[in-house]
Each structure stands twice: as structure tokens, then as C-alpha cells.
Amino acid sequence: MSQGILVCGAGIVGLATALALARQKQPVTVLAPVATVPPAPAEHYQPRVYALSPASQRFLAGLGIWDALPAARIAPVDAMEVHGDADGTVTLNAWQAAKPHLAWIVEAAEVERVLAQAVRLSGIPWIPDRCVGYQHGAVLTENGAQLRTELAIGADGAASPLRSAAGLVQHSRPYDAVGLVTHLDASLPHHGTAMQWFHDEGVLALLPLPDTARGPQVSMVWSAPAARARAVQALPSDAQADAVRAHLAAVTQGRLGDLRMNIALHGFPLFLEHAQMAAPGVALAGDAAHRVHPLAGQGLNLGLGDAETLATIVARREPYRSPGDPRVLRRYQRARAEPVLAMRLATDGLHRLFASRSAPAAWARNAGMRWVEAIPLFKRLLIEQASGG
């Protein structure tokens, strides 16, 4: 018996894809282990956070998810400061593009929890198993089942078993860098401002989080050279906290005062990856399809764009075509080609530009930032591009 459309993976992108398809009356089933995510305790914030763009926020609102998220755990971003490695600085404010906010910082676990609740309440079938292969229109599972499906959607992460089994070509290049993440107590308020510094030891981003009883807090994402990251990760906890604190003081120059870790430090290797996003009967979304450098914070936004686009194209297909029809999936691949390529080129280009130690490159990048800072029109265009219009 065919499952109709089978979504492999129950992360944010997989669950959003399933819910979007169900809202458009498409027969969809989720294939993934079931993991109950309890509400997080007050004052404790999960280490993995995302910056959701206005386009992603509208998509989640349309699915009925946004209002179900606890508002007290969401931090709006009203401004952004980007600092070069010399005197170049760009400041973007939401009001410059007549927008209420530039983005919202949310915890991944909270979004997953609310999405999983919505999927269950919607009556979407959920098979508590895992994709391990794909043959002749059937998804093979860890427990030995063969699930025939008209369309298998791989939203099963960067190591996607469905992508590998379906033979979809992937290109991967490591950055020789590690994303170090933690949350920090700050002695000065962030005022809803996200901050980023390009410097000799990578890219440092501080994202606003809701205040706690201790005061203001921010989330740190430090894209550090792999050797430097390994050295920091190898330190005992007290020495590690001191090393991070000293690095933050040197880079931020006291912009948020004293910064101290309030959760453990986590690390993940950074890659630039992209794959063929579709083949007859198979489509990829999210990290299974692409990963970009986190310096622009757009990885999840790209994935949610995949989910929204795929659900819309499948729902609007001709009545005589199946969801996995090659023509339908080529439409999806074409629709996503430009935004994914543009983000890949932008993030990789910025990484390369700021990684270069040559004097001409240093002059060009900082002069460019000063030029953008001086022209309001360019600022507005940057905001529009980042927000999804």
C-alpha cells in the first residue's frame, strides 16, 4: 500500500513540510523516531537557536505555529551591527525598511516541540521508524519495512540516508572551522541588537536572547579556525570559560560589558554543501539539500523556504500528475535554485573575503562596509534581501 507522500525526518524542516502538505490536503506521512520534547524550564535556554527571517515567521504563522510558541522565549532583533577587521562597520535597523523587526531568535527545541504537537493534532500519520534506504519507489526502514510512496521527501539531515540511497549527487567542502556556541550573561543590555565581528580568529556573532533574573543574555556563535576551536574545547571547564571570556573581551571591546558563559560550550564542524535537490519520486529539503556558512544565520530560513515551496508546488500540480512526477519535482528544483545559490555564493564569498589576510582585500572589505553604511538605499536593499521580501 502506498504512503502517498512520505517525509523522512522529524526536525523543524521535516515537520513543517509535512504540516504544510497536510494543510493543502495532500496525503502525507512522517517517518522518524518519536521524541517527546518537554517545555524548557524557565530561565534555561537551549544551546541551539536560530534567527528566523520575516519570511520564515510568516510561513510558520500560516501553519498556526507562531502563536503557539511561548512569546516570553522569543527575542526580536530590531537592529544589527556588523564590524569589519579594521574601521568598517555597517548598522542596520528595522525602521530603515519600515519593518517591525529584522528577525526573531528562537530555540530550535521549542519550534520542534510545537511543530510535533501540531502534526499530531492534525492527525498526520507518524511511523516511528527510520529511513535507511530507497529502492524502486519504496523507502526501506531500520525495522525492515518497505514503504511504497509516490514521493519520498528527505528532510533527514546533513547525513541524509535517503539522499545517499536515491543516488542524489552531493558536493561537500569543509571550512576547516568549527562553530562554537554557548549562551552568555552580559553586564550591559543588548537592546534587541544582533552583533557580528569579522576578525583574525574567525567570525563572532552575538544574538539577543530574552533577559533572565541575572540580567541580559546573548547567544554566541563563534566560527573559529578548527585548531583554535579544538584547543578551546580541550581546556578544563574553568579554563575554557576564562579563554572564551578573554576572547570576547578582546573582540567586542566591551560592547556588552563583561560576558560570562551560563551554559556549556558546544561545537560543530562547518561545511559548504549542496546536493541535487530532486529526482523522480524523491525531493530533498533543509540540511539534506544544502548547508551554508552560519555567518549570515540563514540555514534554517533556506530550509523553511524549501518546505513552503515544495508543499505549494506539489499541491498545485496538474490532477493527472503524481506528487513524485519528474516535471513537478523539476519545478521545485528550479524554484529553489536561485535563492539557494545566491545564499551559498554570498556566505562563501564573505567568508573568503574576510579570511584573506592580504592588504588589498582588507582595504576593499572595510571600504565596502563604510560605503554601504553611508548609503541608506543599500541598507534598505540588504534588509529586504535578508528578510525574504
Side-chain angles (χ1 to χ4, degrees):
M1 179 179 177
S2 173
Q3 300 295 322
I5 303 171
L6 190 65
V7 176
C8 301
I12 293 175
V13 172
L15 294 176
T17 303
L19 199 57
L21 286 163
R23 294 290 167 90
Q24 303 213 46
K25 312 301 182 187
Q26 301 302 303
V28 61
T29 299
V30 172
L31 173 68
V34 176
T36 302
V37 181
E43 302 280 297
H44 177 77
Y45 288 78
Q46 300 296 322
R48 192 159 50 109
V49 300
Y50 291 114
L52 287 182
S53 69
S56 293
Q57 186 269 343
R58 287 193 298 270
F59 176 47
L60 293 179
L63 296 179
I65 298 302
W66 187 254
D67 288 341
L69 291 169
R73 301 187 71 88
I74 298 172
V77 178
D78 298 319
M80 176 177 288
E81 296 175 5
V82 182
H83 301 268
D85 52 352
D87 58 348
T89 301
V90 174
T91 303
L92 304 175
N93 289 278
W95 60 262
Q96 291 171 316
K99 294 184 179 295
H101 305 292
L102 293 178
W104 293 262
I105 308 301
V106 298
E107 296 162 278
E110 285 296 299
V111 181
E112 288 175 4
R113 180 179 64 82
V114 173
L115 276 168
Q117 288 178 344
V119 166
R120 285 192 286 268
L121 289 172
S122 297
I124 297 172
W126 190 319
I127 300 173
D129 204 343
R130 195 187 309 271
C131 167
V132 295
Y134 180 80
Q135 289 181 354
H136 312 299
V139 171
L140 312 181
T141 77
E142 193 171 55
N143 291 332
Q146 294 189 27
L147 306 175
R148 296 208 60 81
T149 179
E150 296 178 59
L151 172 60
I153 298 174
D156 45 354
S160 170
L162 180 61
R163 181 189 65 220
S164 300
L168 294 172
V169 178
Q170 184 199 33
H171 303 277
S172 178
R173 173 163 59 86
Y175 275 115
D176 193 31
V178 172
L180 296 175
V181 299
T182 188
H183 297 336
L184 311 162
D185 289 330
S187 60
L188 296 176
H190 51 65
H191 297 300
T193 301
M195 304 167 197
Q196 189 170 52
W197 288 264
F198 291 86
H199 58 96
D200 289 347
E201 291 188 307
V203 185
L204 174 70
L206 299 180
L207 307 175
L209 288 176
D211 292 352
T212 70
R214 300 180 305 273
Q217 67 165 343
V218 292
S219 181
M220 178 194 87
V221 183
W222 173 14
S223 302
R228 174 75 162 113
R230 286 193 294 267
V232 171
Q233 289 176 295
L235 294 170
S237 58
D238 288 348
Q240 185 182 84
D242 289 342
V244 170
R245 186 181 178 197
H247 176 75
L248 291 166
V251 173
T252 69
Q253 296 293 298
R255 174 65 180 81
L256 289 176
D258 189 28
L259 294 164
R260 295 173 179 265
M261 291 169 52
N262 63 38
I263 64 170
L265 189 70
H266 300 265
F268 56 93
L270 303 184
F271 290 86
L272 179 67
E273 295 181 337
H274 62 99
Q276 178 187 348
M277 291 187 69
V282 179
L284 302 179
D287 284 356
H290 41 68
R291 284 199 290 177
V292 296
H293 197 288
L295 62 86
Q298 293 295 315
L300 178 60
N301 294 318
L302 278 181
L304 290 174
D306 297 341
E308 184 174 23
T309 302
L310 180 56
T312 299
I313 286 174
V314 166
R316 293 179 180 175
R317 71 187 187 280
E318 298 87 346
Y320 56 85
R321 297 193 190 278
S322 77
D325 185 291
R327 284 181 179 267
V328 175
L329 297 182
R330 279 200 294 270
R331 293 168 193 164
Y332 167 61
Q333 187 156 283
R334 285 197 299 269
R336 295 305 294 157
E338 183 177 345
V340 171
L341 176 62
M343 188 56 62
R344 192 169 77 237
L345 292 177
T347 55
D348 191 51
L350 279 172
H351 166 74
R352 289 172 179 269
L353 178 62
F354 279 92
S356 173
R357 296 295 99 203
S358 73
W363 177 87
R365 61 196 175 224
N366 286 282
M369 294 178 76
R370 292 193 299 272
W371 185 56
V372 171
E373 177 66 12
I375 303 177
L377 174 61
F378 286 147
K379 289 188 177 186
R380 191 159 61 248
L381 291 174
L382 280 174
I383 296 170
E384 291 289 347
Q385 184 66 31
S387 68

